[in-house]
Amino acid sequence: MSAHAAPTRRLGLGDLAAKKAAGEPIVMVTAYDHPGAQIVEAAGVDMVLVGDSAAMTVLGYDSTVPVSVDEMIMLTKAVRRGLTAPLLVADLPFGSYETSDAQALATAQRFIKETGCDLVKIERGGTSVQRARALVEAGIPVVGHVGLTPQTATSLGGYRAQGRTADAALSLIDDALALQDAGCALLVVEAVPSEVTAALMPLIDIPVIGIGAGSATDGQVLVFHDLLGIYDGPAAKFVKRYADLRTAAVEGVTAYADEVRERVYPAPEHTYSMPAEEAARLRELLAAR
């Protein structure tokens, strides 16, 4: 069991700021359904992200791009019903906010109203800075995301580390600071050299959550299915597996299948019975037909 106490009340953005100020690491993890939400709640995490990584981990797409707003809303609602204390962040999927401020606002409002999430997350700098500003001005808390941004991974040369040259790193830092200036409450930095993160941290005031960005950030996030060894896809360098649930699950289902085929399951202790007199009367009724 963890030596750290789980939150006993609903956390807020002020709690994250306090953790940053105190140097207390922020724990974030993804979840995509009600049972997953209950598990991470019981583990005492601070924040939960319903990431568009659900496209691959639970919906079977080959990237994050195809997942729809309706699919993400369904998943986020399920997670919300399983959470009490952690802050809940929902990814706005590809194509749902890039076109205009009006589109971004309409999408974000749907997520806030229909799912009860606390914040929405958008990717990249550039035009996303203006989208973030528009959402914040409308009263919607926003999480920015720089570095490897999966929604636009193709334009970045695939799923690989970003900011590996000085010029690229400076551009990434500028994007991060621009998102802060736009009013983002939080920043996710993904798949960048630890030197870049170390250079960013003294310049930024909002909490920074890393994923493959080294240890200098204010907190870390990993994908539920990656850290528990559920997802069978390729793992990024930064993924650490804390369990191997897929192997255990395959073994369990295989054992079940074997027992069914061998007529071992169900055993008498797994079956219902009726009073002997009722069974006898049923036989009489059937015989009389």
Side-chain angles (χ1 to χ4, degrees), residues 9-268:
R9 58 175 177 80
R10 183 83 170 265
L11 297 179
L13 291 175
D15 294 298
L16 300 187
K19 285 178 179 290
K20 178 181 177 72
E24 181 182 345
I26 299 166
V27 180
M28 187 180 193
V29 69
T30 68
Y32 311 103
D33 58 19
H34 187 262
Q38 291 180 312
I39 289 169
V40 299
E41 169 96 21
V45 305
D46 303 309
M47 301 185 72
V48 175
L49 169 65
V50 184
D52 57 6
S53 47
M56 296 177 287
T57 57
V58 299
L59 298 178
Y61 295 119
D62 60 4
S63 76
T64 63
V65 171
V67 70
S68 69
V69 169
D70 287 341
E71 287 170 324
M72 288 297 299
I73 284 178
M74 176 192 68
L75 298 175
T76 307
K77 288 169 71 174
V79 172
R80 174 77 281 169
R81 289 190 288 268
L83 294 182
T84 302
L87 277 161
L88 178 59
V89 181
D91 259 341
L92 301 190
F94 179 76
S96 70
Y97 62 90
E98 297 91 337
T99 301
S100 66
D101 291 351
Q103 181 201 33
L105 184 56
T107 302
Q109 286 173 333
R110 277 198 67 190
F111 272 85
I112 297 293
K113 290 179 68 173
E114 296 181 30
T115 74
C117 66
D118 300 299
L119 305 96
V120 298
K121 185 168 77 66
I122 62 176
E123 292 188 0
R124 302 182 305 111
T127 57
S128 291
V129 173
Q130 175 54 36
R131 303 292 173 262
R133 181 174 289 107
L135 295 179
V136 172
E137 289 176 351
I140 297 174
V142 178
V143 178
H145 185 157
V146 298
L148 173 59
T149 48
Q151 292 177 5
T152 52
T154 300
S155 67
L156 298 174
Y159 290 86
R160 62 184 188 182
Q162 301 297 304
R164 302 189 76 170
T165 68
D167 288 340
L170 184 60
S171 178
L172 187 154
I173 290 171
D174 285 343
D175 283 343
L177 296 176
L179 287 164
Q180 174 178 258
D181 291 343
C184 285
L186 196 75
L187 185 73
V188 171
V189 179
E190 180 171 358
V192 304
S194 57
E195 296 88 345
V196 178
T197 308
L200 169 66
M201 292 308 295
L203 306 175
I204 196 161
D205 298 321
I206 60 176
V208 176
I209 307 298
I211 176 167
S215 59
T217 56
D218 299 302
Q220 300 290 331
V221 60
L222 277 179
V223 170
F224 184 88
H225 291 61
D226 285 340
L227 74 91
L228 292 179
I230 300 171
Y231 182 53
D232 195 32
K237 179 180 181 179
F238 55 75
V239 171
K240 180 176 179 179
R241 293 248 159 92
Y242 290 85
D244 185 11
L245 298 193
R246 185 177 190 278
T247 297
V250 171
E251 289 174 351
V253 176
T254 299
Y256 159 73
D258 289 343
E259 288 197 358
V260 170
R261 293 179 177 124
E262 294 163 7
R263 298 191 181 279
V264 173
Y265 175 86

